Amino acid sequence: MKALSRKLLRDLKTLRIQIITMAILVACGVTVLVASWSAYTSLRETQHSYYEQYQFADLFADVVRAPQSLIKSIRNIDGVDIAEGRLVEDALLDIPGQKEPALGRFISYSPNSLINKIYLRQGRWPEKSSTIEVLVHESFAKAHHLNPGNSFFVSLKGQKRRLQVSGIGLSPEYVYALSPVALFPDDLHFGVLWMLHEDLERLSDMQGAFNSLVVKVTPGASLERSQKSLDILLAPYGSVGSYDRSRQISHLFVQDEIRQQKSMSSVVPGIFIVVAAFILHTVMSRLIGLQRTQIAALKSLGYSSRELIIYYWKLVTIILLLGILPSILFAQGIGEWYAVLYERYFRFPQISFSLSRQAILLGIVAGLVPGWLASSFSLLEVFALNPAEAMRPPTPSRFHRSFLEKEGLIASRKTQVKIILRNILSRPWRSFLSILGICASTAILVNGSFWSDIIDFVIQRQFQESQREDLEINFNHPRKLDVLSEIERIPGIFMVEGVRSIPVRLHFKNFKKDSVIASPDGVSTLRRILNRQGEPIKFKDGQVLLSAYFQKKFGLQEGDTVTFELADKSHPDFSAVVGGFVDDIVGSSIYATRTDLHHWISETPSISSVYARMDPGMAEQIYIRLKQFPEVASVTVKRLLFESFNATLSGMILTFTMILVAFAITISGAVLFNMSRINLSEKAWELASMRIMGFKTPEVFRILYLEMGIQVCLALPPGLFLGYGLSYLSTKWIHTDTFNFPLVIDIKTYALAVTVIVLTYFLTGWFLLTKVRSLSMTEALKARE
């Protein structure tokens, strides 16, 4: 073994603790990078493969009723490859063992269907028989433990029928199976079911007609041109226009997750790698400074500067590889956890996570290059070292009076305070980087914890202040106001309010957006419309209120006039003035008084939904009555919605928070530990001299500890501010057309971040104290000689 190789092993052993901390930092950054990028590519490829294999539609359109003969004309549109008309109907399900009514979305199935093909997970396809057979979506089947052969009841168009499960399936159209009346997935109370076209046609009284259209466009054809031609054909049949995948709910959620995973793979790893590079630069500078006599001796023995730089480059590379190599294994574990999480929310036939070569290569490059660049500035010092000069003790740094001393601000201070301040000010660049490292860990702590604050805010604002009803009952068709009295007479229901809702398409300049106008009767007490401060917003006569989404997305302002097109074409378009904006957290809604809406569409007073308060002790009897109530399309129970929200987000956010907090503790621990270690090594001679001059061990310890404490104090305020900025960006990254999470950071989140940093500082102090106590004055003074 060559001499330099033996020296390399000795240095690795001597610096083992610092090497481990740096390797952990590199490993954290590279792990998150490789895992997130691999999860991003795996999910994207799984989606692409599934869409391709099962012919996910390019265009969708809903109509009130159109003849099947129209399909032939649609297929003749330039660019249309395949077009299929189908039936889609929502109905109440009565599942054995479940008290609350569930909503079922029935889609007609044909063995010859070529678009949105179904993946058969279990059982067989529906067949004609005396009992109507259905194929059940996997999420609903799992939630109710349904298997082929099981049966339940449905109330569809006033007909109660027994259905038998023939099989369990999946569709690219419902990878994320979300109820049309709920905000979050609720597999217990919403399910997609496929029924033979003939059976659904008979039950829904839609013989020879369709109310939903799916289209595949020829590869390379203009989607926009085909869409325009399609809209012209469908307009007489109650269509407000076709839409592409970008507005299909399931596809929208999957795309949002892919986008967020891509963002995740850049920001968090970047922070870790930058901090690791800073520590590496500091450690290498200190190591080369301490080994200047060894470098000089090696040069005098004939070793060239190039050979010595290669030696230190090997040391740096080993440190980086010690972080990079295990991170590949960690990334595999985290990636598999991602896959398990995805399987809980996204229904693909299979989600196969694998580390992509691109991600591994990216991780290796991201781990090595910043480390090499950071240490290159230190390695250049090897070139500059002259053997004769380097064998002498290093020249003390040139003394400069800091501005504090020039202003006389520290002249009257104690000696220890002067030493501390001079130490910090004499190495401003290193002090700045140390503060920056602690800043980064504080920011990650805030960013990792603030999601709990958002969830608490959403629960408070959405489920307690805005939605104060227990039930939302939706009807198949608008009902006269008499239905309010009928609902209120159900034993256990003690308060009701009606609302008229109509699906519309909003037009403003060149923009258009599908939404729903919700019209309560004056000031609603059960479903309140609130501003940012949580205060009810008053309607202005003849005006509409819009979700703030419209203001941000389309630049709408108060006083602008917007035009509405009814989805069912039952009335000509009408216009209204924008009277204000509502800070809705979920969705993009439009609000108007019921009186105004009736006037605009020339309709007699009617309602399409009822909000109700009920006695929880009589819930079971109320559910039974509502299942039998005529024209009820769906019943949403707020308690179940809240439970679904908690089940969907709480577990994910808790896990995410724990990971980020662990990462932040790693950064702060690594920065503080290396700061103390480097200070102790560099100042061993000065500290030993102080001991000889009469300073006691606690006094010497306080100098190092307080110096570090000042840097921690200086880092906390900008760290909290940086955490606020990072959290703001996080809400922007996760912002979608569906969710508009506000930036809410509670004071306890800031307190938690400060507490963690301070505790880490205390633990580092304990380590520092043990080292100061074990400091050998004789050895330290010898080292200087």
Side-chain angles (χ1 to χ4, degrees):
M1 183 180 289
K2 293 182 179 179
L4 284 182
S5 299
R6 284 194 290 274
K7 175 176 165 49
L8 182 61
L9 292 176
R10 277 203 307 273
D11 284 344
L12 288 172
K13 186 178 178 183
T14 306
L15 297 169
R16 60 187 180 280
I17 298 180
Q18 287 169 275
I19 288 173
I20 289 172
T21 56
M22 285 185 286
I24 289 174
L25 276 178
V26 174
C28 287
V30 176
T31 297
V32 176
L33 172 61
V34 176
S36 299
W37 193 265
S38 296
Y40 155 68
T41 54
S42 296
L43 189 58
R44 189 187 58 182
E45 287 167 9
T46 299
Q47 181 204 38
H48 179 73
S49 167
Y50 187 36
Y51 283 4
E52 285 294 309
Q53 193 174 354
Y54 288 85
Q55 294 288 299
F56 184 43
D58 296 313
L59 292 175
F60 306 80
D62 298 319
V63 295
V64 176
R65 183 183 185 118
Q68 281 289 350
S69 56
L70 188 67
I71 296 295
K72 188 176 179 182
S73 304
I74 293 171
R75 287 174 181 157
N76 289 331
I77 292 176
D78 187 27
V80 170
D81 186 18
I82 313 170
E84 291 180 352
R86 60 183 186 172
L87 297 173
V88 177
E89 297 287 349
D90 294 340
L92 284 183
L93 303 177
D94 193 357
I95 306 293
Q98 178 168 293
K99 299 170 187 173
E100 311 90 12
L103 178 64
R105 167 151 293 186
F106 288 85
I107 301 173
S108 60
Y109 157 75
S110 167
N112 301 319
S113 178
L114 297 175
I115 305 179
N116 293 343
K117 292 195 286 187
I118 302 166
Y119 171 81
L120 186 64
R121 176 77 82 186
Q122 188 182 350
R124 58 171 175 77
W125 302 103
E127 295 174 355
K128 288 183 180 177
S129 70
S130 55
T131 304
I132 299 174
E133 294 187 341
V134 290
L135 202 64
V136 183
H137 193 277
E138 186 182 55
S139 58
F140 190 70
K142 277 190 172 178
H144 290 279
H145 308 290
L146 291 174
N147 290 303
N150 294 151
S151 60
F152 53 90
F153 289 91
V154 60
S155 298
L156 180 59
K157 300 275 184 169
Q159 308 169 69
K160 187 166 185 177
R161 294 300 180 92
R162 180 170 171 269
L163 305 178
Q164 184 165 319
V165 178
S166 69
I168 295 165
L170 296 170
S171 164
E173 192 178 2
Y174 289 95
V175 172
Y176 192 81
L178 189 66
S179 164
V181 294
L183 309 175
F184 308 97
D186 182 3
D187 295 338
L188 273 173
H189 302 95
F190 174 72
V192 179
L193 306 98
W194 292 272
M195 184 184 289
L196 277 176
H197 187 84
E198 296 82 355
D199 289 336
L200 189 55
E201 191 178 48
R202 188 178 65 257
L203 285 178
S204 59
D205 194 21
M206 292 282 283
Q207 288 87 350
F210 68 90
N211 60 11
S212 175
L213 180 77
V214 286
V215 173
K216 283 292 289 180
V217 176
T218 308
S222 168
L223 201 66
E224 191 178 351
R225 196 180 305 161
S226 302
Q227 213 171 336
K228 283 181 180 176
S229 304
L230 188 62
D231 291 346
I232 293 171
L233 271 181
L234 294 178
Y237 302 97
S239 169
V240 290
S242 56
Y243 56 94
D244 59 17
R245 290 178 181 179
S246 65
R247 287 169 50 203
Q248 204 270 339
I249 292 295
S250 170
H251 177 77
L252 202 60
F253 274 88
V254 179
Q255 284 298 106
D256 283 340
E257 179 59 33
I258 291 174
R259 179 178 56 81
Q260 289 161 22
Q261 200 60 256
K262 190 177 180 183
S263 300
M264 175 84 175
S265 63
S266 58
V267 178
V268 177
I271 293 175
F272 280 98
I273 290 168
V274 166
V275 174
F278 143 67
I279 295 177
L280 190 62
H281 164 74
T282 308
V283 170
M284 291 308 298
S285 296
R286 171 239 162 191
L287 184 66
I288 290 171
L290 291 176
Q291 294 186 349
R292 51 186 282 121
T293 53
Q294 297 178 27
I295 295 169
L298 288 168
K299 281 190 173 182
S300 64
L301 290 172
Y303 286 93
S304 65
S305 295
R306 179 174 166 274
E307 288 175 298
L308 293 175
I309 284 188
I310 290 175
Y311 158 77
Y312 284 109
W313 177 82
K314 284 181 182 175
L315 180 61
V316 169
T317 305
I318 288 172
I319 294 170
L320 296 173
L321 289 177
L322 284 174
I324 292 171
L325 295 179
S327 69
I328 307 299
L329 294 176
F330 298 150
Q332 178 70 35
I334 291 181
E336 287 174 357
W337 173 74
Y338 274 136
V340 171
L341 205 61
Y342 287 150
E343 284 176 355
R344 195 185 301 171
Y345 302 108
F346 300 123
R347 298 293 174 177
F348 291 102
Q350 185 180 7
I351 298 180
S352 52
F353 174 82
S354 60
L355 293 179
S356 75
R357 291 181 183 177
Q358 187 187 22
I360 294 174
L361 182 63
L362 201 60
I364 293 172
V365 171
L368 288 176
V369 173
W372 285 340
L373 287 175
S375 55
S376 63
F377 297 103
S378 308
L379 299 187
L380 290 176
E381 295 176 21
V382 176
F383 272 116
L385 277 177
N386 182 290
E389 179 69 21
M391 284 185 180
R392 292 196 293 269
T395 306
S397 302
R398 191 175 176 183
F399 177 75
H400 291 283
R401 293 181 69 199
S402 66
F403 72 95
L404 293 177
E405 291 171 297
K406 289 176 183 174
E407 298 295 328
L409 297 177
I410 62 173
S412 59
R413 305 292 176 185
K414 291 182 179 177
T415 305
Q416 291 167 305
V417 176
K418 289 179 183 176
I419 294 173
I420 291 170
L421 293 176
R422 281 174 178 166
N423 283 341
I424 294 174
L425 296 173
S426 64
R427 294 185 175 88
W429 182 239
R430 181 186 296 181
S431 300
F432 171 74
L433 291 178
S434 300
I435 292 169
L436 197 62
I438 303 169
C439 268
S441 53
T442 310
I444 290 181
L445 277 167
V446 173
N447 183 244
S449 309
F450 92 109
W451 289 107
S452 300
D453 300 335
I454 288 187
I455 297 303
D456 291 343
F457 176 81
V458 172
I459 290 172
Q460 174 72 22
R461 178 59 56 84
Q462 192 75 27
F463 293 102
Q464 294 178 13
E465 295 176 358
S466 179
Q467 298 182 359
R468 303 166 80 181
E469 79 280 2
D470 296 317
L471 297 172
E472 179 183 345
I473 305 159
N474 297 302
F475 300 106
N476 286 319
H477 301 98
R479 301 287 304 271
K480 292 181 179 178
L481 299 182
D482 297 346
V483 75
L484 284 171
S485 304
E486 294 176 36
I487 297 284
E488 199 167 18
R489 282 198 292 272
I490 296 176
I493 288 183
F494 56 86
M495 187 176 181
V496 294
E497 282 182 4
V499 62
R500 176 72 171 106
S501 302
I502 55 168
V504 294
R505 174 167 288 181
L506 179 148
H507 294 266
F508 177 69
K509 296 181 179 175
N510 295 325
F511 302 109
K512 54 188 178 182
K513 169 74 178 173
D514 291 343
S515 184
V516 171
I517 297 182
S519 304
D521 185 15
V523 179
S524 173
T525 55
L526 293 184
R527 183 67 72 90
R528 301 194 304 169
I529 302 166
L530 306 174
N531 60 17
R532 189 179 294 273
Q533 289 72 37
E535 300 162 344
I537 301 177
K538 291 183 180 177
F539 284 102
K540 299 173 184 173
D541 290 340
Q543 298 184 352
V544 292
L545 299 174
L546 305 179
S547 293
Y549 163 86
F550 291 97
Q551 189 177 28
K552 295 173 184 172
K553 187 84 174 180
F554 304 130
L556 275 162
Q557 299 296 326
E558 282 190 39
D560 286 338
T561 300
V562 291
T563 303
F564 296 103
E565 178 186 0
L566 268 62
D568 59 4
K569 307 283 186 183
S570 59
H571 189 275
D573 300 351
F574 62 91
S575 299
V577 174
V578 177
F581 295 94
V582 182
D583 289 301
D584 285 326
I585 297 171
V586 181
S588 48
S589 302
I590 303 164
Y591 306 94
T593 64
R594 214 161 67 207
T595 307
D596 283 335
L597 184 62
H598 288 147
H599 170 68
W600 289 329
I601 62 175
S602 305
E603 184 186 63
T604 55
S606 60
I607 56 173
S608 47
S609 304
V610 172
Y611 301 133
R613 295 291 300 274
M614 69 174 186
D615 178 359
M618 300 189 68
E620 189 172 349
Q621 295 91 319
I622 293 171
Y623 296 148
I624 292 172
R625 286 291 302 274
L626 288 176
K627 286 177 185 177
Q628 299 165 349
F629 205 89
E631 285 289 311
V632 170
S634 65
V635 178
T636 304
V637 183
K638 192 183 79 171
R639 176 181 58 80
L640 302 177
L641 196 64
F642 176 68
E643 289 173 0
S644 167
F645 174 81
N646 264 339
T648 305
L649 291 180
S650 293
M652 183 190 298
I653 290 206
L654 180 63
T655 308
F656 185 67
T657 300
M658 288 174 64
I659 290 174
L660 284 185
V661 168
F663 283 176
I665 292 174
T666 304
I667 291 184
S668 58
V671 171
L672 292 174
F673 171 78
N674 279 286
M675 280 169 60
S676 63
R677 186 78 185 170
I678 291 168
N679 281 343
L680 195 63
S681 300
E682 288 183 340
K683 296 168 185 164
W685 188 86
E686 288 88 346
L687 297 175
S689 301
M690 290 176 68
R691 292 279 303 277
I692 291 170
M693 285 187 289
F695 283 88
K696 295 178 181 177
T697 300
E699 292 173 317
V700 174
F701 162 73
R702 273 201 296 273
I703 290 175
L704 292 177
Y705 194 52
L706 290 178
E707 179 183 335
M708 197 162 59
I710 289 173
Q711 295 182 20
V712 169
C713 291
L714 290 174
L716 286 175
L720 296 177
F721 183 75
L722 190 63
Y724 180 89
L726 199 57
S727 303
Y728 172 78
L729 290 177
S730 298
T731 57
K732 292 297 173 189
W733 289 330
I734 205 170
H735 176 80
T736 65
D737 284 359
T738 311
F739 293 105
N740 180 24
F741 287 113
L743 175 58
V744 179
I745 305 181
D746 197 88
I747 190 69
K748 70 176 187 300
T749 298
Y750 292 121
L752 174 68
V754 172
T755 303
V756 170
I757 296 295
V758 171
L759 283 177
T760 310
Y761 170 64
F762 286 154
L763 288 174
T764 311
W766 173 79
F767 162 79
L768 191 60
L769 182 60
T770 58
K771 290 297 178 185
V772 170
R773 281 176 176 164
S774 62
L775 187 66
S776 168
M777 290 184 286
T778 309
E779 289 300 320
L781 293 174
K782 276 184 179 177
R784 183 62 177 263
E785 292 166 1

